[in-house]
Amino acid sequence: MASFRPSDAISAEPEEDSRADGAPTLPKLGPVGFARFLWRQLTSMRTALVLLLLLALVAVPGSLIPQRTSNPNGVASWQRDDPELFRTLDSLGLFSLYSSPWFAAVYVLLFVSLVGCILPRAKHHIDAMRSRPPRTPARLSRLVAYTEASTPLDVETAVAVARDTLKKRRYRVERYGDSISAERGYLKETGNLIFHISLVGVLVFVGLGDLLGSIGQRVLIEGQPFVNVQADYDTFTPGAWIDPDTDLAPFSMRLDSFEDRYSFADNRWNPEKFTANMSIREPGGDWQPRVLEVNSPLDIGGTQVYLLGNGYALDVTVRDPEGREVFSQPVPFLALDNNLMSMGVVKVPDGLSEQIGMRGFFYPDPYARTDGTLGSFQPMITDNAIVTLLVYSGNIGLDDGSDSNVYSLKTANLTELAGRDDPLTLAVGETVDLPNGLGTIELNKVVRYVGLDIHRDPVQGLVLVFTLLAIAGLLAGVMVPRRRVWIKVLPAADGSRVEYAGLARGDDAALPAEVAEIVRINTEALERRMTT
Amino acid sequence: MNTETLAAWSLLGVYSACAVYLMAFVAFLVDLARRSARTPAARTPATATVSSATVASAEGGSTAVLVNAPPAPPADQVGAKPSRSARVGVALTVVGLVVHTAAILLRGIAAERVPWANMFEFALTGTGVIVATFVVSLLWKDLRYLGVFITGLSVLLLALATRNLYVDVVPLPPALDSAWLVIHVLVAILATGFFALATGLSILQLLQQGREGGRLRKARLMRTMPASTVLETMSYRLNVVGFVLWTFTLVFGAIWAERAWGRYWGWDVKEVWTFVIWVVYAGYIHARATRGWRGTPSAVLSIVGFVTVLFNFVVVNVFFTGLHAYSGLVAPTSP
């Protein structure tokens, strides 16, 4: 009995004092004894509690310091602003706190402590469910809601009635002498155990999901096909236990068109709805139209596709002075503000007399601000839409991979050919000359693109199952009261004396009311027995 | 009526509710002052001697009779006669709540959606739920001594919300346009209501412990309140309900995050704080079952828990950047 709960749990029974002779015995701990001592410390309630609070505490810095997983731009700006501090914090793992060893140390210790606590408790609980309710205490008068009543019935009949009463109230009953011992609410402990075991399940499958899943991003421009292979992703993070060559679901998809809806309120354009009309093709099938919206991902053979971003892509063609095409493709521009004023980079590594890079700003509905710069009135594209281009020449970093980011252009070592004061400006369908007679650039058309997240997590359903189990267990654990009730019958001069009392196991404010109710029901039953 | 008119009426309702709560606050304050002035000797001590209700047998033993039953629980721990100012306080709180509810409904009608899609609306509805939880709890226990805490907190939150968080009605951004907005946020608001009430009781518990321990001997006011163990038990029950609701908040949030952002958990700042709150309250519940952690430590944890709830709402929403940037105070980025 003494070992089923940590010794410092309030509901645990006091341990028997082994030092009956009163002499202080100092612990003599061999390696096994020491291990046992450590284990007892780790699985004590106090340790579990401290670890819980520690877990809350160590989770906090992750909200103050940007995390690589949730805020990579924030991490980059910390690195830029204070490289020294960044190195120190990074060596402590603070930018990927939740996968850092010391965060893991806290939750692993917590879960070891939890398992160490649960296993003996589960064993005890199973034993308790198999065994009989405990013996009736000698003196009920010291327990909760002690009640005495008298009845003219004889002892044997009164005991039988009491047994019936308690059984009908769904207690497990056992007769000891002329008393009935009853217990109910085993579901409370069952729920408690299920809750804690399910948390272990959640942790295990969250971890497995990391190992067995994959996450990737792709900017998909209208009309372009995407095939679900690693090479077709912009970024791809596979789990450690998967083989991207064989484990990715075979399908293709394509963005057919994109619709957005904005409304003007509170002095700005507010997005209301984004709809991507996609086509999906699975092996052996034809292209099937599917609608993808925010909050409504596509599920394609166990892989989920999410709509996380959108913008304009500019289809440009660059020609050399002889009119030969050296570059022709749509370039996605990233939104800079709510009205989709966007920025993009056009890099032309080959075909012209020198490498050129262009940084473009796109205005769906341009207007001149008072300071002379341009802005966009609204996110919807109009006939006035223009792009302005700053042109640079030199090593644009594609050959040696020093600047392979398609959205950025490092201009420090480049020569400016067209700057802020004299940018190239062109509208849809227009062609302008590049500086220095390098050639021409034409804006063919403007199309839409979507930013997609493509996820696969084969075990996330199991995470949900264990989460729901944990909730069910929690509800049972807090809502079901565990209680014992005794009815004892003693011979009296003119019949019997009936004693009632209860014992709460855990917080149970309703126990006195429950005993009173049993007294009422049993008294009625006794009276009914008298009249028959 | 158009959106602007409805929103303006709603705002007027908020100001009115705020004013009524302020009057209720004063009434509750007067009640507390009167309580401390009352002579404690007039009250029967809470640890009433066990009296036995003996029922005489009418027909000399021919029927089953009660011989000895436990005393009926005292009808009211605080004293049978509620002071007039306390009753006025409750009445004013109810009036304030009615006006407040009307303001919340008008806001919802103006926006044609649930009235908790940005921080102002969350504060507006959340405060309403805190007050409603208090009013409903009065049917369960006489917690009128919490009136000062609840109405004071509500006035403060509403004033902050209207002064610093007000935004015009704007349509839902696509990321929030989901049935989960209704469920996830509503459950979070309900949990906050229970946590707030429990925190009030925990603060009183600490004061009461101080008096019982002889340190706050002069706090005569506390003599009119339940014993610290009673306060602790009530606070615990409310916190457990809050914890269950917060568990739902966390799980529904994760399910929604999976739908909206493609992952059920990503340690976004708001997720971090939802987790921290959950763990702190889990710690609180364990503390109540650990030797040496009942009383002061668990009361402190209960208060710390609510501080993290408030921190999560105010500081995290306004000053931290994350996916949950729905305060409406800064221009939201595309989904």
Side-chain angles (χ1 to χ4, degrees):
Chain A
M1 185 54 133
S3 68
F4 83 97
R5 276 189 170 188
S7 57
D8 56 345
I10 279 183
S11 49
E13 331 246 316
E15 280 182 70
E16 283 171 39
D17 196 348
S18 53
R19 291 167 288 150
D21 55 352
T25 41
L26 292 173
K28 287 190 207 97
L29 295 177
V32 177
F34 185 67
R36 188 171 293 154
F37 167 78
L38 267 186
W39 180 250
R40 285 190 73 131
Q41 287 302 307
L42 186 61
T43 57
S44 78
M45 286 287 283
R46 203 173 300 116
T47 308
L49 180 55
V50 169
L51 284 170
L52 254 180
L53 298 178
L54 198 60
L55 183 65
L57 201 63
V58 296
V60 170
S63 71
L64 305 168
I65 297 168
Q67 297 295 300
R68 286 204 171 83
T69 45
S70 56
N71 185 7
N73 294 337
V75 177
S77 86
W78 275 54
Q79 185 167 19
R80 217 171 28 246
D81 296 346
D82 192 343
E84 196 72 23
L85 179 69
F86 177 85
R87 259 195 301 282
T88 314
L89 295 181
D90 197 29
S91 63
L92 294 170
L94 284 174
F95 293 100
S96 25
L97 181 97
Y98 303 105
S99 47
S100 71
W102 52 278
F103 187 73
V106 175
Y107 72 74
V108 166
L109 276 177
L110 180 64
F111 274 83
V112 170
S113 162
L114 192 154
V115 169
C117 186
I118 281 181
L119 289 181
R121 257 175 89 165
K123 183 182 178 308
H124 177 271
H125 185 54
I126 292 167
D127 291 347
M129 284 202 293
R130 284 200 193 134
S131 61
R132 315 188 306 172
R135 214 158 257 294
T136 310
R139 262 184 292 172
L140 292 183
S141 54
R142 291 159 75 182
L143 299 169
V144 174
Y146 172 69
T147 307
E148 256 179 66
S150 73
T151 174
L153 290 169
D154 62 287
V155 170
E156 200 53 39
T157 318
V159 171
V161 170
R163 188 191 170 88
D164 276 2
T165 302
L166 290 168
K167 270 211 109 125
K168 271 190 200 134
R169 264 187 102 66
R170 303 184 42 214
Y171 279 81
R172 294 178 47 181
V173 295
E174 185 67 38
R175 180 170 179 167
Y176 292 103
D178 290 335
S179 71
I180 301 293
S181 169
E183 183 160 18
R184 66 166 295 171
Y186 293 83
L187 187 59
K188 184 187 189 70
E189 180 70 355
T190 309
N192 251 326
L193 290 170
I194 287 178
F195 173 71
H196 287 96
I197 293 167
S198 302
L199 289 187
V200 178
V202 168
L203 183 76
V204 166
F205 284 102
V206 166
L208 272 180
D210 275 351
L211 295 169
L212 295 172
S214 64
I215 307 171
Q217 283 81 31
R218 169 65 198 249
V219 165
L220 194 59
I221 299 169
E222 247 179 85
Q224 277 184 355
F226 166 85
V227 182
N228 191 28
V229 294
Q230 186 172 359
D232 230 9
Y233 282 85
D234 295 333
T235 56
F236 185 73
T237 318
W241 288 1
I242 73 160
D243 178 1
D245 293 336
T246 56
D247 290 345
L248 292 180
F251 68 87
S252 312
M253 64 182 172
R254 173 178 85 198
L255 174 65
D256 294 326
S257 64
F258 180 82
E259 295 156 32
D260 51 14
R261 194 174 75 223
Y262 291 83
S263 66
F264 194 78
D266 199 19
N267 249 333
R268 62 170 188 263
W269 288 98
N270 302 279
E272 275 188 13
K273 200 170 177 61
F274 297 128
T275 309
N277 298 307
M278 311 282 295
S279 285
I280 309 292
R281 190 165 67 176
E282 290 186 82
D286 246 341
W287 287 103
Q288 301 286 337
R290 298 273 287 274
V291 175
L292 171 61
E293 290 178 346
V294 180
N295 265 315
S296 167
L298 296 180
D299 187 293
I300 311 160
T303 300
Q304 279 87 39
V305 180
Y306 302 85
L307 175 58
L308 289 196
N310 70 80
Y312 291 105
L314 273 58
D315 190 347
V316 295
T317 302
V318 177
R319 296 184 179 84
D320 67 11
E322 281 74 49
R324 280 191 295 268
E325 274 184 19
V326 295
F327 179 95
S328 184
Q329 66 182 63
V331 179
F333 274 48
L334 291 181
L336 296 177
D337 68 10
N338 260 7
N339 289 346
L340 289 185
M341 180 184 121
S342 314
M343 198 201 79
V345 167
V346 181
K347 291 177 180 175
V348 187
D350 304 305
L352 301 180
S353 58
E354 50 188 332
Q355 293 191 348
I356 63 161
M358 288 175 272
R359 186 183 283 158
F361 293 89
F362 176 68
Y363 307 89
D365 185 17
Y367 74 99
R369 295 199 185 99
T370 44
D371 62 359
T373 60
L374 291 174
S376 183
F377 249 134
Q378 55 171 5
M380 286 76 83
I381 192 163
T382 62
D383 291 342
N384 302 328
I386 53 161
V387 62
T388 62
L389 293 163
L390 314 179
V391 186
Y392 302 86
S393 68
N395 177 6
I396 57 173
L398 280 183
D399 301 336
D400 54 5
S402 62
D403 192 11
S404 54
N405 186 334
V406 293
Y407 298 106
S408 85
L409 182 68
K410 289 181 182 157
T411 56
N413 299 318
L414 301 180
T415 313
E416 185 180 285
L417 303 181
R420 286 194 178 277
D421 303 328
D422 55 342
L424 306 184
T425 302
L426 65 168
V428 178
E430 282 184 354
T431 306
V432 293
D433 287 338
L434 291 169
N436 298 354
L438 284 167
T440 61
I441 179 165
E442 178 180 4
L443 177 57
N444 308 312
K445 59 180 176 184
V446 177
V447 294
R448 299 305 300 257
Y449 72 83
V450 287
L452 301 177
D453 259 39
I454 301 156
H455 283 207
R456 182 173 163 279
D457 183 347
V459 294
Q460 82 177 16
L462 286 168
V463 175
L464 183 63
V465 167
F466 276 104
T467 306
L468 296 179
L469 269 177
I471 289 181
L474 176 65
L475 287 176
V478 300
M479 281 164 57
V480 176
R482 175 96 179 257
R483 42 177 73 137
R484 289 176 183 165
V485 173
W486 289 278
I487 302 182
K488 193 188 248 180
V489 184
L490 301 157
D494 48 354
S496 320
R497 193 169 91 227
V498 190
E499 297 181 352
Y500 305 82
L503 177 69
R505 313 213 43 208
D507 180 63
D508 186 0
L511 182 61
E514 167 74 4
V515 175
E517 182 67 6
I518 287 171
V519 171
R520 191 185 64 77
I521 295 172
N522 198 50
T523 305
E524 282 174 16
L526 288 170
E527 283 178 1
R528 268 201 308 278
R529 183 60 72 92
M530 282 188 320
T531 54
T532 50
Chain B
M1 279 195 278
N2 62 9
T3 303
E4 283 77 24
T5 326
L6 284 166
W9 277 99
S10 166
L11 193 58
L12 185 67
V14 180
Y15 287 134
S16 314
C18 208
V20 179
Y21 288 150
L22 196 60
M23 289 192 278
F25 175 76
V26 173
F28 282 124
L29 212 55
V30 171
D31 171 51
L32 288 190
R34 292 240 171 99
R35 278 167 192 258
S36 45
R38 219 182 292 159
T39 49
R43 280 182 64 249
T44 48
T47 50
T49 49
V50 178
S51 61
S52 29
T54 308
V55 183
S57 157
E59 286 164 54
S62 68
T63 180
V65 288
L66 275 186
V67 178
N68 188 344
D76 190 282
Q77 281 278 5
V78 180
K81 259 186 153 180
S83 88
R84 202 167 134 210
S85 35
R87 274 179 287 151
V88 170
V90 171
L92 283 171
T93 308
V94 172
V95 170
L97 183 61
V98 170
V99 179
H100 193 162
T101 309
I104 294 170
L105 290 176
L106 281 174
R107 179 79 186 187
I109 295 166
E112 295 174 350
R113 54 165 166 70
V114 287
W116 51 75
N118 53 50
M119 264 187 92
F120 167 71
E121 292 172 4
F122 187 93
L124 176 64
T125 308
T127 315
V129 170
I130 288 176
V131 177
T133 314
F134 170 64
V135 168
V136 171
S137 75
L138 292 177
L139 304 173
W140 169 60
K141 289 268 161 68
D142 183 8
L143 299 179
R144 274 174 296 196
Y145 44 84
L146 280 182
V148 166
F149 172 73
I150 295 294
T151 51
L153 184 71
S154 302
V155 170
L156 194 71
L157 287 176
L158 285 180
L160 275 174
T162 45
R163 270 189 60 80
N164 300 331
L165 303 176
Y166 187 79
V167 288
D168 284 336
V169 172
V170 295
L172 277 185
L176 286 184
D177 190 4
S178 164
W180 290 107
L181 172 71
V182 182
I183 306 161
H184 166 66
V185 184
L186 183 63
V187 178
I189 290 174
L190 279 172
T192 309
F194 280 91
F195 286 148
L197 217 53
T199 306
L201 289 167
S202 293
I203 294 170
L204 284 183
Q205 178 200 334
L206 287 180
L207 293 173
Q208 190 70 297
Q209 274 172 207
R211 190 186 68 87
E212 288 165 356
R215 269 166 292 133
L216 292 168
R217 213 180 288 278
K218 284 183 185 157
R220 299 172 65 188
L221 167 65
M222 295 308 297
R223 294 187 192 185
T224 66
M225 307 222 174
S228 64
T229 49
V230 175
L231 291 167
E232 180 170 1
T233 309
M234 287 194 286
S235 173
Y236 175 71
R237 293 207 187 109
L238 291 167
N239 269 331
V240 164
V241 177
F243 177 74
V244 170
L245 290 167
W246 197 258
T247 308
F248 279 111
T249 305
L250 193 147
V251 172
F252 291 157
I255 295 174
W256 188 10
E258 197 279 324
R259 298 285 295 170
W261 301 322
R263 83 290 182 291
Y264 53 82
W265 198 262
W267 296 109
D268 172 66
V269 281
K270 202 79 180 180
E271 291 171 341
V272 172
W273 278 93
T274 303
F275 174 77
V276 168
I277 291 166
W278 191 80
V279 172
V280 169
Y281 277 104
Y284 163 80
I285 287 172
H286 282 85
R288 285 265 315 165
T290 308
R291 282 210 184 110
W293 280 76
R294 277 203 178 180
T296 310
S298 65
V300 168
L301 275 179
S302 162
I303 296 165
V304 167
F306 193 61
V307 170
T308 56
V309 169
L310 287 181
F311 184 86
N312 181 39
F313 171 62
V314 180
V315 181
V316 176
N317 278 355
V318 179
F319 298 103
F320 290 21
T321 53
L323 288 167
H324 283 79
Y326 55 66
S327 72
L329 296 174
V330 286
T333 52
S334 52

